[in-house]
Amino acid sequence: MSEMNKEARYADDKPKSCDYCYWWDDKNKICVLGEEKCYYLLPDKPKKPVGPCDGCPYGRNNPCIGFCMKKLLGQKS
């Protein structure tokens, strides 16, 4: 039985064990596709584009207040 990668995301209809998968070769005890190319493996989530307001404490819960507080807080006096 093959161990599943804990970081990978799999489809909901994936069997609980590779032994029950269509692509499992019971004679050789190996997946025909390979663990990296699993039929049920979901693609990685697209990374969120980095914007100028990322990390700004004022943009989290409220809309922008009209001028960039991140720049003002980052400036040295």
Side-chain angles (χ1 to χ4, degrees), residues 31-43:
C31 180
V32 175
L33 298 177
E35 198 168 328
E36 305 83 36
K37 296 179 183 177
C38 178
Y39 177 79
Y40 298 99
L41 188 63
L42 295 174

Side-chain angles (χ1 to χ4, degrees), residues 25-70:
D25 183 10
D26 202 34
K27 186 186 295 182
N28 295 323
K29 302 289 185 199
I30 192 166
C31 180
V32 175
L33 298 177
E35 198 168 328
E36 305 83 36
K37 296 179 183 177
C38 178
Y39 177 79
Y40 298 99
L41 188 63
L42 295 174
D44 293 336
K45 290 182 180 178
K47 296 204 181 208
K48 190 174 163 184
V50 179
C53 294
D54 287 350
C56 179
Y58 296 98
R60 257 184 286 169
N61 300 323
N62 300 319
C64 186
I65 57 177
F67 55 94
C68 187
M69 290 301 292
K70 187 175 177 183

